[in-house]
């Protein structure tokens, strides 16, 4: 029945007639309610937001947590997201305002292990969950059916008109094989137009080729290596770890040249036999061509690669192959940690001490630490490999939290290089020179013996500072609180913080003097100029990231060094990335003190690791290696430990100092960096933050203070450092603090870095 009410019709009751109501009436009450009630799910989208959004599930669409879906999101339109959870009871008043899930994507769902890992990383680093999820779905927008591959093969009679080009094509196809059109044209030395002409005449026909695999399955028994007794014991221990399974962290601690890569390959081989996936993390995958070649030699095929140099289409295919369990081994940079592995069984972190594992923008995380977390979440083994472990890993190994496997000797009986100090206070170079006479003499002797020499200086360009001799004016970046670096090879003055570049000015902007600018200090380009004068006739190569035209060119240059096509290599930290140069027996560190005077709590550790790794390039195969340290402070604990070869003494003193000062790993740190277009705005908000910090007896807040580099890209920077005990939940404290503090307004920005590695 119905009746009017204020001009409207209100329905009081409806009688529904059905020809056969029994199927409905006989169903249990709960089932009838389920059939009638709409379903809702919470979806996490890969944008800089921390919360999920609720959507209605259309009738007939089956969804479960982990499914990838397309959902409408504001002005963005259709957006990829992941069903994060069922939402059994959203606010009833919002039911009609909720939008429907647009579609379910035909890709494997994200496993609970990966979703839990995303939540953990976001909670720990204070990064929005959507930003962390974005790393797991980084190539999602390129997913979809692979482009159809078309091949050609011999099918019909010879063409009526025969030409030399056509004859070459037909000779290629006499083996009866099917080839891609481009491949056939290259083999025959003709254009693709010749192939098309033969297709039109019916001599060749096109066929659809199966999708190309990302990589072939590796063979764990392709080539068994020959191990020393020490390596064999280490390999057996790692195989046992993988065979037993479960979460355990193993520190593979071996001197440079001890064969750590071949040893952990045995753990990879065991994991392949168990038909599980392996992730090998490397700090800079594009520079590790030798490791990839070693993998190919051991397993008969290259692994899948994941890094910034891989093309978008190949990255999408790799992403899908990993999710579908079609890839056994992935070698990748830090972002590979967030890939959707179907059955991950082992994680290896090579050169675990390397600072490149720290992500410094977006979600601030350390890939080594997060690899340990992912291993814990997935209950799988994690192997950390290094010749100079981080202090954190060393402490964990000493206290039994990590298992240590030690390789104290080089493979094949090679000796560790001896190290000598050159005291620059007493035997430094002449004025205007940077290579001390004793080091220059050693390089000449090496060249006479047909050996290679490496001169290491961790400073790019020609000179770090250019000033006017007439008035003292220093050329500075207009956007940053930094000097412009002279790059003579490119004839540019460059800021290494924002990328600003300009040609060298013809006159001083301040006093207008001409030809008055002088370079101050050395860079690798200036060192190359000096080496060319000291060692005439020597084949010299400069290896520096700013001179890399392409990764292919860099890999070729590294191969050329390994083959002995250069006599003197001058390089930055690029040369310390695990490269193997058989003919290199002499290493000279031109400025060993460079990393010690910057106020970084990890300065001593990083200097020791870098110099140890660089000197470790020497004497790996032929002859006995030697390293020279040009230093103004040979009595420094870092220099003494390197010269005496007493690694344990360095770690013991550094660990004792860290424990005394409650710095990591014996305490927790977080960095808060406030930036703004003006200095007052940045400082004012930084002081407001301090004034609103929760009171705690466990937390000490240092600052605000101007950052060591006070201006970057035109933005003024103030830093706060938060210090807490190791067991304190620093992430929760920061979350409460920032929730209660006033939000930054206008052009003010706040960046939070839990466990900072950089203090600039």
């Amino acid at each position: 029945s119905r009746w009017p009410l204020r001009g409207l019709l209100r329905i009081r009751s409806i009688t529904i007639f059905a020809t056969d109501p029994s199927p409905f009436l006989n169903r249990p009450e709960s089932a009838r309610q389920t059939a009638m009630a709409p379903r809702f799910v919470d979806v996490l989208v890969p944008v800089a937001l921390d919360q999920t959004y609720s959507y209605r599930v259309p009738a007939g669409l089956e969804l479960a947590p982990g499914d990838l879906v397309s959902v409408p999101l504001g002005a963005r339109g259709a957006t990829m997201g992941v069903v994060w959870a069922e939402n059994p009871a959203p606010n009833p008043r919002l039911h009609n305002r909720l939008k429907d899930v647009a579609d379910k994507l035909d890709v494997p769902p994200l496993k609970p292990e990966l979703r839990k890992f995303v939540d953990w990383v976001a909670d720990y680093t204070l990064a929005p969950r959507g930003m962390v999820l974005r790393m797991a779905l980084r190539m999602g927008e390129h997913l979809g059916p692979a482009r159809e591959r078309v091949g050609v093969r011999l099918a019909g009679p010879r063409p009526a008109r025969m030409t030399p080009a056509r004859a070459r094509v037909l000779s290629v196809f006499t083996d009866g094989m099917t080839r891609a059109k481009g491949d056939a044209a290259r083999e025959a030395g003709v254009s693709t137009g010749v192939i098309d002409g033969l297709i039109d005449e019916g001599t060749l026909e096109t066929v659809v080729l199966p999708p190309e695999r990302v990589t072939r399955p590796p063979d764990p028994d392709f080539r068994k290596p020959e191990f020393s007794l020490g390596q064999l014991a280490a390999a057996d221990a790692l195989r046992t770890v993988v065979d037993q399974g479960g979460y355990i962290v193993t520190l593979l601690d071996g001197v440079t040249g001890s064969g750590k890569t071949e040893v952990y390959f045995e753990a990879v081989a065991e994991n392949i036999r168990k038909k599980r996936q392996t992730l090998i993390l490397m700090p800079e995958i594009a520079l590790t061509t030798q490791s990839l070649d070693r993998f190919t030699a051991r397993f008969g095929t290259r692994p899948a690669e994941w890094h910034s140099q891989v093309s978008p289409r190949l990255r999408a295919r790799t992403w899908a192959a990993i999710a579908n369990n079609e890839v056994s081994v992935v070698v990748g940079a830090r972002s590979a940690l967030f890939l959707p592995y179907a059955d991950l069984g082992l994680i290896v972190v090579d050169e675990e001490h390397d600072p490149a594992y720290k992500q410094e923008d977006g979600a601030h995380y350390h890939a080594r630490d997060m690899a340990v977390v992912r291993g814990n979440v997935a209950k799988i083994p994690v192997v950390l490999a290094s010749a100079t472990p981080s202090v954190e890993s060393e402490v964990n190994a000493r206290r039994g939290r990590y298992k240590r496997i030690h390789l104290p000797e080089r493979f094949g009986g090679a000796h560790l290089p001896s190290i000598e100090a050159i005291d620059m206070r007493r035997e430094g170079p002449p004025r205007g020179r940077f290579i001390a006479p004793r080091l220059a003499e050693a390089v000449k002797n090496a060249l006479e013996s047909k050996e290679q020499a490496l001169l290491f200086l961790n400073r790019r360009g020609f000179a770090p500072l250019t000033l006017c001799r007439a008035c003292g004016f220093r050329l500075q970046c207009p956007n940053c609180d930094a000097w412009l670096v002279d790059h003579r090879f490119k004839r540019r003055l460059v800021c290494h913080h924002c990328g600003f570049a300009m040609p060298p000015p013809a006159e001083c902007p301040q006093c207008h003097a001409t030809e008055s600018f002088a370079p101050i200090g050395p860079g690798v380009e200036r060192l190359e100029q000096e080496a060319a004068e000291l060692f005439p006739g020597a084949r010299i190569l400069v290896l520096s990231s700013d001179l890399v035209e392409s990764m292919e060119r860099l890999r070729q240059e590294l191969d050329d060094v390994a083959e002995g096509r250069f006599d003197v290599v001058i390089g930055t930290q690029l040369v310390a990335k695990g490269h193997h140069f058989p003919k290199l027996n002499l290493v000279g560190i031109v400025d060993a003190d460079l990393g010690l005077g910057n106020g970084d709590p990890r300065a001593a550790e990083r200097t020791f690791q870098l110099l140890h790794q660089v000197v470790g390039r020497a004497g790996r195969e032929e002859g006995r290696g030697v390293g020279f340290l040009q230093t103004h402070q040979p009595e420094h604990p870092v220099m003494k430990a390197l010269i005496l070869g007493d690694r344990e003494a360095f770690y013991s003193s550094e660990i004792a100092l860290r424990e005394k000062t409650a710095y990591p790993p014996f305490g927790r740190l977080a960095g808060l960096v406030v930036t703004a277009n003006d200095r007052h705005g940045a400082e004012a908000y930084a002081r407001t933050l301090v004034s609103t910090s929760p009171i705690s007896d466990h937390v000490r807040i240092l600052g605000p203070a101007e950052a060591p580099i006070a201006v970057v890209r035109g933005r003024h920077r103030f830093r706060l450092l938060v210090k807490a005990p190791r067991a304190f939940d620093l992430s929760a404290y920061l979350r409460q603090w920032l929730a209660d503090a006033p939000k930054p307004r206008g052009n003010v920005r706040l960046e939070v870095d839990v466990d900072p590695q950089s203090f600039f």
Side-chain angles (χ1 to χ4, degrees), residues 9 30 91 123 198 202 222 289 306 333 390 470 491 497 542 580 588 591 609 620 657 680 703 710 745 749 752 756:
L9 295 178
S30 60
N91 189 332
D123 181 73
L198 291 172
F222 180 78
T289 178
W306 186 268
S390 62
R491 296 190 56 79
H497 299 283
V542 178
H580 183 74
D591 188 352
Q609 290 167 339
R620 296 167 73 96
L657 179 62
H680 174 73
R745 295 182 178 179
R749 300 288 182 270
V752 180

Side-chain angles (χ1 to χ4, degrees), residues 274-450:
K274 294 169 71 70
K275 302 189 183 305
R276 302 196 70 184
Q277 293 172 303
T278 301
L279 166 63
I280 302 175
L281 286 178
M282 292 188 174
E284 294 185 52
I285 182 63
L287 307 180
T288 53
T289 178
Q290 291 181 344
S291 294
L292 297 176
D293 291 342
R294 279 185 236 163
F295 185 96
T296 304
R298 171 64 180 84
F299 297 102
T301 185
R302 288 176 75 87
E305 296 181 43
W306 186 268
H307 53 86
S308 59
Q309 299 298 316
V310 177
S311 68
R313 175 56 61 178
L314 179 55
R315 283 167 68 90
R317 290 172 47 220
T318 303
W319 191 98
I322 291 168
N324 285 307
N325 207 7
E326 297 170 1
V327 166
S328 295
V329 182
V330 178
V331 175
R334 55 181 178 255
S335 61
L337 193 59
F338 294 87
L339 289 171
Y341 300 95
D343 188 18
L344 186 60
L346 173 67
I347 301 175
V348 178
V349 184
D350 200 3
E351 305 290 352
E352 63 89 24
H353 67 277
D354 199 296
Y357 280 123
K358 177 69 177 185
Q359 175 76 23
E360 296 287 3
D361 53 13
H364 293 255
Y365 68 93
H366 198 296
R368 177 201 63 226
D369 298 341
M370 296 305 106
V372 172
V373 171
R374 181 149 196 188
N376 193 346
V377 171
K379 305 305 177 189
I380 61 173
V382 179
V383 176
L384 309 178
S386 177
T388 53
S390 62
V391 170
E392 287 83 353
S393 296
E394 179 67 22
V395 169
N396 283 329
R398 291 189 178 194
R399 301 198 170 185
R401 288 189 284 266
Y402 293 174
K403 176 180 179 180
R404 188 197 298 269
I405 297 177
H406 191 43
L407 291 169
E409 298 178 351
R410 283 188 159 183
F411 178 72
H415 296 282
L416 288 169
S418 60
I419 301 177
E420 301 178 22
I422 298 177
D423 190 340
M424 300 290 277
R425 298 169 298 187
R426 297 198 304 266
E427 49 180 331
R431 185 179 180 85
R433 296 281 190 174
F434 304 97
I435 300 174
R438 182 146 62 102
L439 176 57
E441 186 65 26
V443 173
K444 289 178 182 177
N445 292 338
L447 297 181
E448 290 173 0
S449 302
K450 306 299 182 183

Side-chain angles (χ1 to χ4, degrees), residues 401-737:
R401 288 189 284 266
Y402 293 174
K403 176 180 179 180
R404 188 197 298 269
I405 297 177
H406 191 43
L407 291 169
E409 298 178 351
R410 283 188 159 183
F411 178 72
H415 296 282
L416 288 169
S418 60
I419 301 177
E420 301 178 22
I422 298 177
D423 190 340
M424 300 290 277
R425 298 169 298 187
R426 297 198 304 266
E427 49 180 331
R431 185 179 180 85
R433 296 281 190 174
F434 304 97
I435 300 174
R438 182 146 62 102
L439 176 57
E441 186 65 26
V443 173
K444 289 178 182 177
N445 292 338
L447 297 181
E448 290 173 0
S449 302
K450 306 299 182 183
E451 297 174 346
Q452 290 175 317
L454 167 64
L455 297 177
F456 174 80
L457 177 62
N458 200 22
R459 187 182 278 149
R460 293 177 287 160
F462 185 86
L465 170 64
T466 302
L467 59 77
C468 175
R469 287 189 298 257
C471 68
F473 177 78
R474 301 180 178 191
L475 290 173
Q476 189 169 358
C477 175
N479 306 317
C480 303
D481 183 22
W483 300 328
L484 292 175
V485 178
D486 184 359
H487 285 255
R488 289 285 173 92
F489 289 178
K490 297 182 177 180
R491 296 190 56 79
R492 306 287 284 176
L493 297 168
V494 180
C495 174
H496 288 172
H497 299 283
C498 72
F500 172 84
M502 60 178 280
E507 62 177 31
C508 174
Q510 183 164 290
C511 70
H512 304 291
T514 58
E515 299 183 358
S516 64
F517 282 114
I520 306 300
V524 288
E525 295 177 15
R526 192 171 194 177
L527 209 60
E528 190 269 346
Q529 185 182 82
E530 182 175 341
E533 297 173 4
L534 288 173
F535 319 118
R539 298 168 297 176
I540 300 174
L541 173 67
V542 178
L543 287 175
S544 177
S545 59
D546 58 282
L547 299 176
V548 175
E549 297 177 0
S550 66
M551 286 300 108
E552 290 74 17
R553 173 70 180 273
L554 175 61
R555 289 174 173 175
Q556 182 59 54
E557 289 177 338
L558 292 172
D559 289 342
D560 288 342
V561 175
E563 295 294 328
R565 298 189 183 97
F566 290 98
D567 304 313
V568 178
V569 179
I570 299 172
T572 62
Q573 63 182 355
L574 198 67
V575 300
K577 300 293 183 180
H579 307 301
H580 183 74
F581 303 136
K583 300 180 182 299
L584 178 64
N585 283 330
L586 173 67
V587 172
I589 311 294
V590 175
D591 188 352
D593 308 324
L594 187 58
L596 292 174
N598 56 21
D600 188 334
R602 292 186 174 87
E605 176 191 2
R606 287 181 174 169
T607 300
F608 176 82
Q609 290 167 339
L610 180 60
L611 299 187
H612 189 284
Q613 293 279 344
V614 173
V615 174
R617 300 309 104 201
R620 296 167 73 96
E621 275 195 22
E622 303 174 5
R624 184 150 192 165
V626 61
F628 289 92
L629 305 179
Q630 294 190 169
T631 174
H632 288 85
Q633 41 186 339
E635 70 285 349
H636 192 284
V638 169
M639 303 305 159
K640 291 173 66 176
L642 288 167
I643 294 165
L644 297 174
D646 195 347
R647 196 191 77 163
E648 295 307 307
F650 168 75
Y651 277 113
S652 295
S653 64
E654 185 69 13
I655 289 170
L657 179 62
R658 297 273 189 98
E659 190 167 18
K660 180 180 178 180
T661 56
Y663 273 100
F666 303 100
R668 299 285 312 283
L669 293 178
L672 279 68
V673 179
V674 178
T675 66
N677 291 343
D678 63 287
R679 186 182 187 280
H680 174 73
E683 183 178 13
Y685 183 71
R687 294 191 179 280
T688 299
L689 269 182
V690 174
S691 67
T692 58
S693 60
I695 298 175
S696 172
D697 295 335
H698 302 292
V699 177
R700 184 183 178 193
I701 300 175
L702 307 175
E706 266 194 325
I709 301 178
V711 183
V712 174
R713 294 184 177 89
R715 295 184 64 81
H716 295 259
R717 307 169 72 241
F718 276 79
R719 287 189 65 95
L720 289 81
L721 188 64
V722 186
K723 192 175 179 183
R726 174 182 170 84
F728 185 77
D729 190 347
L730 185 56
S731 297
Y733 175 88
L734 293 171
R735 191 173 294 104
Q736 177 191 345
W737 179 8

